[in-house]
Amino acid sequence: MIELRDVSKDYGGVRAVKHLTLKLEERALLGLIGPNGAGKTTVLNAMTGLAAPSAGSIWFGDQRIERRKPHEIAALGVARTYQTARIFPHMTALDNVVTGMHLKAHDSLLGQLVCWPATLRGAQRLRERARALLEEVGLGECAEITARSLALGEQRRLELARAIAADPKMLLLDEPAAGLNPVETERLRDEIVRLTHERGMSVLLVEHDMALVMSACDRIAVLDFGEKIAEGTPAEIRANPRVVEAYLGAQTS
């Protein structure tokens, strides 16, 4: 689905990512973990066109995308969330999800200005689908509530609904459980797993909550100072001495 081949990213004299090779398979759920400053968000930025790599290439299927603009990569089927929920606070939950459908909308600006019947019907279909997505993530009763009035866990699920509104093939999640309580995190985990099993999406999960990563992901890659130090199943990562020392905590006798 997407593959990074020997990717490096420099910021001035600092190499944030070092010769990273990483592959996210179709219908897979891959975790990406590491200490703060390990380069995880830089990897996501490179994959979504926000930060072009200094070296290496990024492939989406058979297309190179490392020099493409963010909207071009999004149009190919790559969606993303951020560490801080980037919702439109003064818009309703329903309208937030509708904004995520703009890549799939086919109405013209002229049609919107003169309110052509076909344009109005298209807009109604988008709103109906947005309501269905809100129902899907457990926010059906919040459709007409302004986003800023929602609890943090609800805002996270709203952002997830908006991210999948354009039917992406791949979803990149940047610390989606930050600030959530255990109940909210468990619900989020179920939603993420469902996306791969029921919708067939590929998901890359960047997260510090190790219980979430270990229970949700098929495979996990570990970064330390921008370098991949391990990749494997949750059981293999949990038992890897280098990962334990660098991130999970030194073993005690």
Side-chain angles (χ1 to χ4, degrees):
M1 179 62 70
I2 196 165
E3 183 178 4
L4 285 72
R5 300 178 184 174
D6 199 27
V7 167
S8 296
K9 177 60 181 176
D10 300 329
Y11 290 104
V14 177
R15 174 150 288 189
V17 177
K18 305 174 183 178
H19 303 291
L20 176 63
T21 294
L22 189 68
K23 181 184 291 187
L24 176 58
E25 302 283 359
E26 192 172 357
R27 293 175 174 264
L29 209 168
L30 175 67
L32 183 63
I33 66 173
N36 288 329
K40 303 182 298 296
T41 297
T42 299
V43 171
L44 297 190
N45 288 342
M47 295 169 75
T48 52
L50 295 177
S54 304
S57 61
I58 302 176
W59 295 77
F60 186 77
D62 59 356
Q63 302 184 62
R64 287 187 66 163
I65 64 171
E66 72 271 8
R67 300 296 172 183
R68 295 201 178 191
K69 293 181 172 61
H71 72 272
E72 294 174 333
I73 295 175
L76 290 174
V78 180
R80 145 175 212 185
T81 66
Y82 293 82
Q83 292 180 13
T84 302
R86 296 189 179 184
I87 56 175
F88 298 108
H90 299 289
M91 294 171 61
T92 65
L94 181 67
D95 287 336
N96 264 272
V97 178
V98 170
T99 64
M101 300 178 178
H102 70 281
L103 289 172
K104 298 295 184 179
H106 301 295
D107 53 331
S108 66
L109 177 59
L110 178 60
Q112 295 177 41
L113 292 175
V114 301
C115 297
W116 282 339
T119 298
L120 295 177
R121 288 194 297 270
Q124 182 60 31
R125 285 194 295 270
L126 291 182
R127 295 182 73 80
E128 290 173 357
R129 184 164 176 274
R131 286 185 184 277
L133 284 173
L134 288 173
E135 290 283 354
E136 194 173 314
V137 299
L139 295 176
E141 297 181 356
C142 302
E144 303 302 333
I145 298 176
T146 56
R148 65 178 178 177
S149 301
L150 299 175
L152 178 59
E154 293 171 330
Q155 291 181 2
R156 291 289 189 184
R157 280 185 278 139
L158 174 59
E159 189 176 36
L160 188 63
R162 187 178 63 187
I164 65 177
D167 290 326
K169 300 173 184 176
M170 186 176 65
L171 183 60
L172 312 179
L173 302 176
D174 195 356
E175 299 190 27
L180 302 188
N181 63 41
V183 174
E184 293 170 328
T185 299
E186 182 64 22
R187 180 160 193 169
L188 178 68
R189 176 204 172 278
D190 293 342
E191 292 293 341
I192 294 171
V193 172
R194 183 181 59 79
L195 291 177
T196 59
H197 291 173
E198 296 182 13
R199 284 183 168 267
M201 289 184 190
S202 299
V203 178
L204 178 62
L205 174 63
V206 172
E207 184 54 66
H208 282 292
D209 188 320
M210 286 300 97
L212 171 59
V213 174
M214 294 291 177
S215 63
C217 296
D218 308 310
R219 296 183 63 80
I220 300 169
V222 187
L223 294 184
D224 191 30
F225 294 107
E227 180 182 2
K228 185 173 73 173
I229 62 172
E231 183 175 353
T233 66
E236 291 169 341
I237 294 301
R238 193 181 293 113
N240 187 300
R242 190 173 179 188
V243 175
V244 171
E245 180 180 359
Y247 185 56
L248 299 181
Q251 293 177 327
T252 57
S253 56

